[in-house]
């Protein structure tokens, strides 16, 4: 038990320790010098100010872009899909998207889940990486945007990290559309113009009408989430904002902070019956498929009057999850859902086609357009 | 032969780990990367290479080895003083406490430094509470420690759930969940530098007490009659192990199974004598955690959570150990 | 010349109200072998725990040499008193030599480990008891009798002045019981005082030069075995009639086959249909 045969091995251990110490030393030396490296070794750069207020250098010509969270990733895709190098998560690959974009690699990110692998990002050689933060100065992880952007930048090394103020307010997308479009330039800038025009037109049209609806006459709307339809978002929540934007009255008057998931407050059937909604918007196709045959729901006015609708979700949701410019097309849709009479003149078919062609870069056929709109429950479009 | 396993393998894996990663680099690029840091005038490696090596890989490799070693040696020591090969370092509540500390700090939007400090503080506090509870009882102190630890862990776990319940589901809650799952993907040198010294010192203290650990593992009354002040040494060992575990958890989140399985395996290989067991657990623990973390950061384009992987690797292996005819079981 | 251990009017209770034993006094000299007898619950085991320092008496004192046991440090105590508990529950598969080496702990500093000299002493001890061949075998893999010998070797390596054993023969087969007793005698011949509790009154005649009976919390008898282990005392203590006989050089205590004095209700074995 007391054998001391380790003499040669002590030598090994010593060598190993010295080597590791040397490496550690190199790391420390690097760390002291870090931050002095700026743009990559490609030729031209230009100075920009990001939306947080940092000045940094980015390549003059930006061709490869990544983003760390879906809302901005979607924005980049919609403005100039050829510049996007990867998606944040696998659920983006659905219908109504050209294959070459569908098949972009999944590179993770830092948003609701933190799956980003820095080496993966770096190995794909983006010219810059967008990091979104919320309008209140906090980032997606709930910490101060400046410090988390600083961490992101440190770990991305010489790849510039550009902070984007990503609105979760559906009425305030214009600044970020403008910023990203201008930054990427070229086709992106043109698309940004188009998108802002489409967006503001839709928003104004809806606003002009809904501001004239007195409170007592607003449609009472229940946002049914989950496979049983018994989860929802309270009034004022960003998830259900389109209801408010389009002049609806969200029946759920519970406090916003309750909940143990990503929103999705649980409610009981009695509660829903008491609320007595005129319109039900469904987030879950399972629920939508069963609600008209469900005895529990049959006395709800929305069900009786066939006013139950399903949010279209391909390739991105028209209403919620993620919040972002994908909701733009949801604005006219929601308006028609809530007040079909008042918005008779909205040509949903042509708006949808236009939106998908210009921004999802997919030419919808007549049949496909009809399918999308009909399966959402809209009767006339 | 054993020396090869315990001394050479970790070093080899260390160097191999430097070479592998999602960002492909050749060996010469790696070497160049090093040289250009130490001699910036003579060598120039690409910026990306330097970032990947020194910002991302090496701190992470060092952290993985440190965390693995700290958890394993703590597990070995606890298994001795609790006379139970099924004990892990979490048994007194340090992980639950640290998790709560981190969750709380994340809830109030604390900086990463605050999160780490909070985890450390609450981890230590949880064990202090457990220890104080056990002091109220005169007899059978290790059983009372274990029971106290169960209770304290339960309380802190409940508190974690409370924090998760009221956390903002869009930002804070995911951050908390992610932290609890364990991972080293955002480790930085400064995180590491805070915990390195305490962990190494505690390891040294435990090694110095190796003989006392042997005697304590015979049982309390046996140890007492052999002249060992069991209360004093239990306290010292608990403090050291808790400090190490809390420090490790504060940088890596909650990573389980290493503290349970590694001491077991080492005991099967080198025997229960702590003179050999302690160095063995340091070595094998570092090796194991480095190996699992290499998987976490390489096997997919995205990061896999470390705590989940250690469970997936560790638990089946543990079951395998159970089925073997192992003469260490009482 | 002070006795090696002098117990003076010792009383002990766990909760301050009910004494487990009270007013116990006796003394032990060099080379004594003291056999403490008594029925279960009479306080034997607790007395042993107080004698080796695991518990503290409420009243009275225990003197080791001329110092109170309570004035000694743990290290001093462990160099003076060795202890072999009744059950040998060891969780981890230490080598037998390691177990014996643990006996050297009172001489090993807090941050040291066993030295070459310690190993030498341990090996010698094992050799003296004829178990050196077990040195590298895991303790958990040897027989009960061999384990007892390992513990004895541990005591030899420790070299205390007094050895306390709690029922050293209760879990052994007949042959190993005798072997243990002969080791105890050999230790006593070398000057070690041995105190053991036992369930076998006859063993008092084999090894001991002093015997004691604990009954109903008191030490009701202490002295030479022939004066303590009497038919009367055995009847009073255990309720068992015995006959004390002389065989070759020693006395023997033999329980009587006919236990007419012992009343048991009639025993019927249940008939299961």
């Amino acid at each position: 038990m007391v054998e001391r045969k380790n003499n040669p091995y002590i030598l090994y251990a010593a060598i190993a320790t010295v080597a590791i110490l040397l490496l550690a030393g190199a790391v420390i030396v690097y760390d002291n010098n870090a931050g002095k490296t700026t743009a990559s070794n490609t030729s031209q750069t230009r100075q920009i100010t990001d939306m947080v207020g940092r000045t940094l250098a980015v390549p003059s010509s930006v061709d490869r872009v990544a983003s760390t969270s879906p809302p901005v990733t979607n924005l980049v895709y919609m403005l100039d899909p050829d510049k996007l190098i990867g998606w944040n998560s696998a659920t983006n690959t659905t219908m109504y998207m050209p294959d070459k974009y569908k098949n972009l690699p999944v590179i993770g990110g830092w948003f609701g889940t933190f799956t980003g692998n820095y080496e993966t990002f770096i190995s794909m050689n983006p010219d810059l990486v967008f990091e979104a933060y919320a309008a209140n100065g906090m980032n997606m992880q709930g910490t101060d945007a400046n410090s988390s952007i600083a961490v992101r930048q440190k770990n991305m090394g010489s790849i510039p990290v550009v902070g984007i103020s990503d609105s979760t307010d559906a009425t305030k997308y214009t600044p970020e559309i403008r910023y990203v479009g201008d930054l990427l330039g070229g086709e992106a800038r043109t698309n940004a113009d188009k998108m802002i025009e489409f967006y503001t037109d839709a928003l104004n049209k809806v606003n002009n009408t809904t501001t004239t609806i007195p409170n007592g006459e607003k449609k009472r709307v229940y946002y049914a989430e989950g496979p049983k339809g018994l989860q929802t978002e309270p009034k004022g929540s960003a998830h259900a904002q389109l209801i408010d934007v389009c002049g609806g009255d969200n029946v759920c008057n519970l406090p916003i902070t309750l909940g143990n998931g990503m929103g999705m407050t649980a409610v009981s059937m009695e509660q829903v019956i008491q609320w007595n909604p005129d319109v039900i918007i469904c987030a879950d196709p399972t629920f939508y498929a069963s609600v008209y045959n469900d005895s529990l729901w049959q006395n709800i006015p929305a069900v009786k009057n066939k006013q139950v609708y399903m949010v279209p979700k391909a390739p991105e949701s028209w209403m919620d999850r993620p919040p972002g410019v994908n909701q733009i097309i949801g604005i006219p849709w929601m308006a028609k859902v809530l007040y079909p009479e008042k918005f008779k003149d909205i040509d949903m078919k042509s708006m949808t086609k236009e939106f998908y062609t210009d921004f999802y870069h997919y030419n919808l056929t007549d049949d496909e357009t009809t399918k999308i709109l009909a399966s959402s429950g809209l009767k006339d479009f | 032969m054993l020396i090869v396993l315990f001394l050479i393998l970790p070093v080899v894996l260390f160097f191999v780990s430097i070479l592998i990663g999602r960002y492909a680099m050749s060996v010469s690029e790696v070497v160049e990367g090093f040289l250009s840091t130490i001699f910036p005038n003579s060598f120039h490696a690409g910026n990306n290479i330097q970032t990947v090596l020194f910002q991302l890989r090496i701190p992470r490799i060092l952290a993985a080895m440190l965390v693995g070693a700290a958890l394993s040696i703590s597990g070995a020591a606890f298994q001795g003083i609790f006379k139970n090969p099924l004990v892990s370092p979490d048994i007194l509540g340090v992980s639950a406490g640290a998790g709560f500390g981190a969750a709380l700090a994340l809830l109030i939007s604390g900086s990463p430094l605050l999160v780490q400090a909070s985890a450390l503080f609450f981890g230590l506090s949880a064990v202090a509470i457990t220890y104080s509870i056990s002091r109220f009882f005169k007899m059978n102190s290790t059983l009372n420690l274990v029971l106290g630890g169960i209770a304290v862990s339960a309380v802190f776990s409940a508190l974690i759930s409370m924090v998760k319940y009221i956390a903002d589901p869009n930002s804070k809650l995911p951050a908390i969940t992610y932290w609890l799952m364990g991972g080293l993907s955002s480790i930085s040198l400064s995180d590491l530098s805070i915990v390195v010294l305490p962990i190494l010192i505690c390891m040294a203290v435990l090694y110095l007490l190796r003989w006392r650990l042997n005697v304590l593992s015979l049982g309390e009354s046996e140890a007492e009659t052999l002249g060992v002040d069991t209360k004093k040494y239990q306290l010292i060992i608990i403090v050291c192990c808790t400090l190490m575990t809390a420090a490790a958890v504060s940088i890596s989140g909650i990573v389980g199974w290493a503290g349970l399985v590694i001491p077991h395996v080492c005991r099967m290989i080198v025997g229960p004598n702590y003179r050999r067991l302690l160095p063995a657990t340091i070595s094998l623990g570092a090796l194991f955690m480095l190996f699992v973390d290499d998987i976490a950061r390489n096997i997919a384009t995205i990061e896999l959570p470390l705590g989940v992987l250690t469970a997936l690797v560790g638990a089946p292996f543990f079951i395998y150990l159970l089925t073997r005819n192992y003469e260490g079981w009482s | 010349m002070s006795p090696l251990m002098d117990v003076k009017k010792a009383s002990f209770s766990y909760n301050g109200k009910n004494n487990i034993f009270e007013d116990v006094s006796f003394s032990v000299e060099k080379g004594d072998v003291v056999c403490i007898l008594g029925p279960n619950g009479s306080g034997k085991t607790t007395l042993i725990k107080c004698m080796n320092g695991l518990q503290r008496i409420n009243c009275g004192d225990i003197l080791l040499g001329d110092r109170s046991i309570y004035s000694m440090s743990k290290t001093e105590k462990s160099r003076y008193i060795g202890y072999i508990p009744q059950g040998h529950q060891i969780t981890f598969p230490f080598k037998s030599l390691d177990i014996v080496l643990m006996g050297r702990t009172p001489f090993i500093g807090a941050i040291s480990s066993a030295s070459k000299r310690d190993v030498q002493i341990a090996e010698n001890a094992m050799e003296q008891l004829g178990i050196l061949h077990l040195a590298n075998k895991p303790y958990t893999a040897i027989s009960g009798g061999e384990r007892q010998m390992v513990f004895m070797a541990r005591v030899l390596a420790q070299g205390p002045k007094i050895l306390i054993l709690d029922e050293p023969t209760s879990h052994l087969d007949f042959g190993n019981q005798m072997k243990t007793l002969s080791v105890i005698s050999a230790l006593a011949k070398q000057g070690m005082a041995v105190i053991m509790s036992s369930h076998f009154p006859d063993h008092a005649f084999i090894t001991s030069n002093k015997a004691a009976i604990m009954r109903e919390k008191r030490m009701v008898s202490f002295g030479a075995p022939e004066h303590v282990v009497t038919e009367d005392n055995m009847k009073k203590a255990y309720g068992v009639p015995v006959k004390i006989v002389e065989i070759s050089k020693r006395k023997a205590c033999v329980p009587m086959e006919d236990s007419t004095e012992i009343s048991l209700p009639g025993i019927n074995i249940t008939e299961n249909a």
Side-chain angles (χ1 to χ4, degrees):
Chain A
M1 184 186 97
V2 205
E3 321 118 22
R4 285 264 183 214
K5 293 187 193 143
N6 350 30
N7 285 338
Y9 304 112
I10 297 224
L11 186 63
Y12 274 125
I15 294 179
T17 314
V18 170
I20 294 181
L21 283 176
L22 274 180
L23 285 172
V27 178
I28 296 172
V29 171
Y30 166 84
D31 203 53
N32 286 335
N33 295 334
K36 297 188 191 152
T37 57
T38 49
S40 55
N41 36 11
T42 56
S43 41
Q44 292 141 321
T45 62
R46 55 189 158 113
Q47 292 288 112
I48 60 160
T49 310
D50 72 1
M51 290 176 90
V52 186
R54 297 154 64 234
T55 33
L56 60 160
V58 303
S60 303
S61 140
V62 175
D63 298 310
R64 297 178 60 78
V65 175
S67 129
T68 60
S69 58
V72 176
T73 305
N74 287 339
L75 178 58
V76 172
Y77 172 74
M78 289 164 108
L79 294 183
D80 193 346
D82 293 313
K83 292 200 157 98
L84 186 66
I85 60 173
W87 299 108
N88 298 119
S89 60
T91 54
N92 276 344
T93 54
T94 54
M95 313 189 296
Y96 311 131
M97 187 183 284
D99 280 342
K100 62 171 165 169
Y101 303 128
K102 243 198 264 192
N103 295 331
L104 286 174
V106 175
I107 56 177
W110 290 268
F111 49 105
T113 61
F114 300 167
T115 54
N117 182 325
Y118 286 107
E119 285 195 32
T120 304
F121 269 72
I122 297 177
S123 69
M124 298 193 66
N125 243 334
D127 291 319
L128 55 80
V129 173
F130 285 125
E131 167 88 4
Y133 65 94
N136 57 2
M138 307 290 247
N139 83 331
M140 293 302 156
Q141 287 120 289
T143 54
D144 160 58
N146 271 305
S147 54
S148 66
I149 291 181
V151 169
R152 199 79 66 225
Q153 177 67 76
K154 198 161 186 218
N155 287 331
M156 290 288 184
S158 57
I159 299 173
V161 173
V162 180
I164 301 290
S165 175
D166 177 38
S167 176
T168 50
D169 182 338
T171 60
K172 301 203 164 84
Y173 290 139
T174 304
E176 67 196 85
I177 303 175
R178 182 82 274 152
Y179 185 86
V180 173
D182 288 345
L183 180 59
L184 298 182
E187 189 181 316
R189 185 177 285 127
T190 324
N191 274 339
D193 293 336
K194 268 201 251 176
M195 189 184 280
I196 292 175
E197 194 184 326
F198 187 104
Y199 173 48
T200 43
D201 279 352
L203 209 48
N204 287 336
K205 183 163 189 45
V206 168
N207 271 339
N208 288 340
T209 311
T210 57
T211 41
T212 67
I213 306 175
N215 274 339
E217 287 175 25
K218 288 197 171 164
K219 292 278 177 80
R220 295 171 53 70
V221 185
Y222 174 68
Y223 181 35
E225 298 178 286
K228 292 221 166 91
L230 289 176
Q231 288 166 293
T232 188
E233 303 293 339
K235 200 195 292 262
S237 153
H239 292 290
Q241 192 188 8
L242 282 195
I243 297 176
D244 305 328
V245 168
C246 296
D249 182 15
N250 186 339
V251 295
C252 175
N253 48 6
L254 297 171
I256 293 186
T257 51
L258 271 190
N260 52 3
M262 304 268 280
M264 295 187 81
T265 315
V267 297
S268 68
M269 196 64 222
E270 288 85 39
Q271 181 78 80
V272 178
I273 294 175
Q274 193 177 31
W275 280 328
N276 224 16
D278 304 314
V279 178
I280 295 179
I281 311 283
C282 303
D284 190 315
T286 314
F287 176 66
Y288 182 65
S290 64
V291 66
Y292 282 124
N293 298 323
D294 193 330
S295 52
L296 281 178
W297 292 80
Q298 60 188 15
N299 289 319
I300 309 272
V303 176
K304 276 198 287 203
N305 301 328
K306 299 266 187 261
Q307 294 296 308
V308 183
Y309 299 89
M310 175 70 211
V311 177
K313 300 240 174 157
E316 293 291 334
S317 171
W318 286 22
M319 174 166 176
D320 182 18
R321 301 186 205 282
V325 293
N326 46 294
Q327 294 175 319
I328 292 178
I329 187 66
I331 297 173
W333 175 82
M334 179 71 74
K336 273 186 101 73
V337 158
L338 296 184
Y339 304 107
E341 290 304 316
K342 299 194 200 282
F343 290 104
K344 245 191 169 57
D345 54 339
I346 289 186
D347 182 353
M348 212 47 228
K349 230 172 142 180
S350 76
M351 283 188 92
T352 308
K353 264 199 188 163
E354 184 188 336
F355 192 80
Y356 273 60
T357 309
D358 288 345
F359 307 122
Y360 284 131
H361 315 291
Y362 184 91
N363 293 324
L364 282 178
T365 65
D366 243 23
D367 284 341
E368 284 172 325
T369 318
T370 310
K371 181 163 173 233
I372 293 178
L373 294 170
S375 44
S376 80
L378 263 190
K379 274 105 196 150
D380 95 285
F381 35 86
Chain B
M1 179 50 219
L2 285 181
I3 308 294
V4 173
L5 175 65
F6 286 112
L7 221 49
I8 297 186
L9 217 50
V11 175
V12 167
L13 188 61
F14 174 81
F15 287 108
V16 168
S17 304
I18 296 183
L19 296 173
I20 59 177
R22 279 272 138 193
Y23 183 88
M25 288 191 286
S26 67
V27 178
S28 60
E29 284 179 301
V30 172
V31 174
E32 208 177 25
F34 279 114
L35 294 174
S36 62
T37 302
I38 306 178
F39 308 108
N41 299 319
S42 324
F43 296 93
H44 298 281
N47 282 325
N48 280 342
I49 291 186
Q50 296 216 331
T51 305
V52 168
L53 272 182
F54 296 108
Q55 184 68 30
L56 301 177
R57 267 186 218 173
I58 293 188
R60 183 160 176 167
I61 291 173
L62 291 175
M65 294 179 89
L66 196 66
V67 167
L71 293 177
S72 302
I73 194 177
S74 301
F78 269 11
Q79 286 170 4
I81 62 177
F82 290 108
K83 267 187 77 162
N84 186 339
L86 288 178
V87 154
S88 80
D90 307 332
I91 195 169
L92 295 182
V94 62
S95 294
F100 170 70
L104 201 60
L106 288 167
L107 187 68
I108 62 173
S109 312
S111 66
L113 187 64
L114 183 66
V115 174
Q116 192 181 352
S118 179
L120 198 54
F121 173 75
F122 278 97
L124 293 169
S125 306
V127 174
I129 296 175
T130 303
Y131 190 78
S132 315
I133 293 176
S134 80
R135 292 301 250 156
F136 278 111
F137 303 94
K138 288 207 194 105
M139 305 196 284
N140 208 337
S141 59
T142 50
L143 181 61
N144 289 321
L145 277 170
V146 171
L147 292 177
I150 292 176
V152 169
S153 291
V155 168
F156 277 104
S157 296
L159 289 174
I160 293 178
S161 297
M162 273 307 307
V163 171
K164 283 167 88 168
Y165 192 75
I166 63 177
D168 171 9
N170 286 323
S171 52
K172 310 277 174 68
L173 182 59
I176 294 173
T177 308
Y178 171 72
W179 195 96
L180 293 172
M181 279 200 291
L184 288 171
S185 64
S186 43
I187 194 87
S188 72
L189 197 60
S190 51
D191 298 339
L192 204 49
S193 57
I194 298 176
V195 298
V196 160
L197 215 52
I199 291 181
L200 290 180
I201 292 177
C202 290
M203 284 187 189
V205 169
L206 280 186
Y207 183 74
L208 287 176
L209 294 180
R210 60 206 179 286
W211 188 259
R212 293 306 190 260
L213 267 169
N214 280 340
V215 179
L216 282 169
S217 74
L218 288 185
E220 279 180 79
S221 50
E222 297 244 23
E224 284 276 344
T225 54
L226 284 170
V228 173
D229 187 343
T230 49
K231 286 269 183 299
K232 176 172 103 177
Y233 285 104
Q234 272 176 5
L235 183 58
I236 296 176
I237 291 168
I238 288 176
V239 167
C240 284
C241 291
T242 301
L243 192 54
M244 274 195 287
T245 309
V249 170
S250 76
I251 60 174
S252 72
I254 299 185
V255 176
W257 290 97
L260 179 55
V261 173
I262 299 295
H264 250 309
V265 174
C266 288
R267 201 175 285 115
M268 287 169 68
I269 302 176
V270 301
N273 191 327
Y274 279 93
R275 199 163 152 271
R276 295 174 112 194
L277 185 60
L278 290 178
T281 53
I282 291 178
S283 164
L284 205 61
L287 184 69
F288 173 74
M289 197 60 75
L290 182 55
F291 176 71
V292 176
D293 189 52
D294 283 346
I295 295 179
R297 68 180 171 92
N298 280 305
I299 215 159
T301 50
I302 60 178
E303 288 268 354
L304 301 179
L306 188 61
V308 171
L309 281 180
T310 53
L312 287 178
V313 173
F317 190 64
F318 185 64
I319 295 175
Y320 161 71
L321 288 179
L322 289 180
T323 61
R324 277 194 52 173
N325 205 9
Y326 167 49
E327 60 199 11
W329 290 97
S330 54
Chain C
M1 197 45 207
S2 327
L4 280 184
M5 177 184 282
D6 197 359
V7 180
K8 285 173 142 47
K9 287 183 162 349
S11 303
F12 175 83
S13 76
Y14 283 111
N15 57 7
K17 282 184 278 194
N18 306 321
N19 279 339
I20 306 295
F21 63 81
E22 53 198 18
D23 210 21
V24 172
S25 302
F26 63 94
S27 68
V28 178
E29 314 274 350
K30 211 172 151 187
D32 275 353
V33 179
V34 180
C35 183
I36 304 182
L37 304 165
N40 290 332
S42 56
K44 288 202 314 291
T45 305
T46 316
L47 177 61
I48 296 236
K49 286 205 182 132
C50 290
M51 284 197 281
N52 65 21
L54 286 175
Q55 296 282 5
R56 189 180 172 126
I57 54 180
N58 304 122
C59 303
D61 202 359
I62 299 180
L63 298 177
L64 301 177
D66 42 16
R67 297 174 59 190
S68 165
I69 190 175
Y70 301 112
S71 71
M72 286 179 145
S73 70
K74 287 199 157 82
T75 311
E76 287 175 308
K77 253 191 292 190
S78 61
R79 291 185 186 185
Y80 203 98
I81 300 177
Y83 174 62
I84 297 183
Q86 184 179 14
H88 304 159
Q89 266 292 52
I90 294 198
T91 317
F92 301 107
F94 284 100
K95 284 195 275 203
S96 301
L97 180 60
D98 287 346
I99 303 285
V100 176
L101 255 179
M102 307 253 195
R104 297 297 302 160
T105 305
F107 307 96
I108 298 177
I111 58 174
S112 316
S113 184
S115 66
K116 280 209 170 62
R117 181 167 169 267
D118 291 318
V119 177
Q120 202 67 50
I121 294 175
E123 285 174 341
N124 279 343
M126 290 185 94
E127 198 175 7
Q128 284 172 49
L129 293 180
I131 52 169
L132 191 55
H133 61 285
L134 297 176
N136 287 321
K137 275 198 178 172
Y139 175 83
T140 42
I142 59 180
S143 73
E146 288 171 322
R147 290 186 196 181
Q148 182 76 307
M149 284 299 118
V150 167
F151 269 67
M152 292 299 214
R154 192 178 85 184
V155 171
L156 260 185
Q158 186 182 353
K161 295 193 166 58
I162 302 179
L163 169 61
I164 301 181
L165 306 117
D166 194 3
E167 296 186 28
T169 54
S170 294
H171 57 286
L172 298 174
D173 69 36
F174 189 60
N176 282 315
Q177 286 184 11
M178 294 302 127
K179 193 169 178 204
T180 301
L181 292 178
S182 65
V183 171
I184 288 177
S185 297
L187 289 173
K189 280 211 185 66
Q190 294 296 318
M192 203 183 278
V194 179
I195 307 174
M196 62 180 188
S197 67
S198 179
H199 276 314
F200 302 100
D202 190 40
H203 289 178
F205 289 126
I206 299 178
T207 55
S208 316
N209 65 336
K210 290 186 184 159
I213 298 180
M214 294 282 296
R215 201 180 87 221
E216 282 159 20
K217 308 178 191 181
R218 291 173 167 276
M219 186 170 276
V220 298
S221 179
F222 181 83
E226 51 266 21
H227 296 143
V228 173
V229 184
T230 62
E231 285 163 21
D232 200 36
N233 281 342
M234 291 297 104
K235 182 77 181 305
K236 282 205 197 116
Y238 293 105
V240 174
V242 303
K243 195 128 167 95
I244 309 293
V245 297
E246 277 222 33
I247 298 183
S248 59
K249 293 197 204 111
R250 73 173 183 94
K251 288 207 159 64
C253 172
V254 181
M256 295 313 289
E257 174 198 312
D258 176 8
S259 33
T260 50
E261 301 281 352
I262 303 174
S263 58
L264 281 170
I267 296 182
N268 288 315
I269 299 184
T270 322
E271 290 251 345
N272 293 311

